[in-house]
Amino acid sequence: MSPRVILVGPPGAGKTTVANKLANRLGVDVRDTDADVEAAHGMSIADMFVDHGEAYFRDVESTAVRAGLTEHDGVLALGGGSVLHEDTRAALRGERVVFLDVGLSVATRRVGLNTARPLLLGNVRSQMKALMEERRAIYLDVAAYVVATDDLTPGGVADEIVRWLEREGEQA
């Protein structure tokens, strides 16, 4: 078993929203590894960062990603930083990974200034810029396809992914 599509990208790319639209269009279920982590550990990701640190969270997140890759055959949305873990990157090789690429100004607007995202505390725009610069090459490395999301609605992004799947010979 393997997901039809796996979505990656930075905070504000629209992974969860697009995953729901895409799953609806494909007639499959959606799974979000951030929600899996929170449900399994009974705490928010922000609390997990505070209580246990980022390294612990990344290990837990990697376990959730591997479970999603082997247990789920619909649309799988990954947390923005999940690709930082080498085990996750290795597990994504050969999968239908779509990088939802978003510009800094759009991502910052979508995330907002009042955020519970632990890596964006302080100056959200400068933190987001650094985070996006650090991760961009990694997202590109794991991606089989890239969708620029800035000028598209979530439905438009889902449509673009469906067209890609059809070109790849997938039944959409």
Side-chain angles (χ1 to χ4, degrees):
M1 181 180 301
S2 183
R4 292 277 302 275
V5 178
I6 301 143
L7 302 179
V8 299
K15 296 176 298 292
T16 300
T17 303
V18 169
N20 284 301
K21 298 272 187 194
L22 182 59
N24 186 47
R25 282 179 173 69
L26 296 174
V28 298
D29 291 329
V30 65
R31 185 166 172 175
D32 187 308
T33 58
D34 281 350
D36 288 352
V37 167
E38 290 183 342
H41 293 272
M43 65 172 45
S44 71
I45 290 170
D47 287 344
M48 198 174 297
F49 263 77
V50 170
D51 293 349
H52 303 288
E54 183 176 1
Y56 173 84
F57 169 72
R58 294 295 173 210
D59 286 342
V60 166
E61 180 180 50
S62 181
T63 300
V65 170
R66 287 192 312 275
L69 290 172
T70 59
E71 299 169 359
H72 185 68
D73 61 359
V75 177
L76 182 64
L78 304 190
S82 62
V83 297
L84 297 175
H85 200 287
E86 175 54 39
D87 290 348
T88 297
R89 291 192 303 274
L92 292 174
R93 287 190 182 89
E95 297 287 347
R96 287 176 298 277
V97 179
V98 176
F99 168 31
L100 301 185
D101 196 6
V102 62
L104 177 61
S105 63
V106 173
T108 304
R109 186 176 67 245
R110 288 179 185 167
V111 169
L113 298 177
N114 297 323
T115 181
R117 298 169 194 258
L119 293 180
L120 296 179
L121 296 176
N123 182 330
V124 174
R125 186 173 175 83
S126 67
Q127 293 294 330
M128 186 71 119
K129 182 177 188 298
L131 180 146
M132 291 171 74
E133 287 172 355
E134 172 193 4
R135 297 178 184 175
R136 182 168 179 72
I138 300 169
Y139 292 133
L140 289 169
D141 183 55
V142 300
Y145 189 62
V146 179
V147 178
T149 66
D150 285 4
D151 297 325
L152 296 174
T153 65
V157 174
D159 290 343
E160 179 64 29
I161 296 168
V162 167
R163 285 191 291 274
W164 171 68
L165 288 170
E166 290 169 346
R167 287 191 304 270
E168 293 294 304
E170 274 282 315
Q171 291 290 354

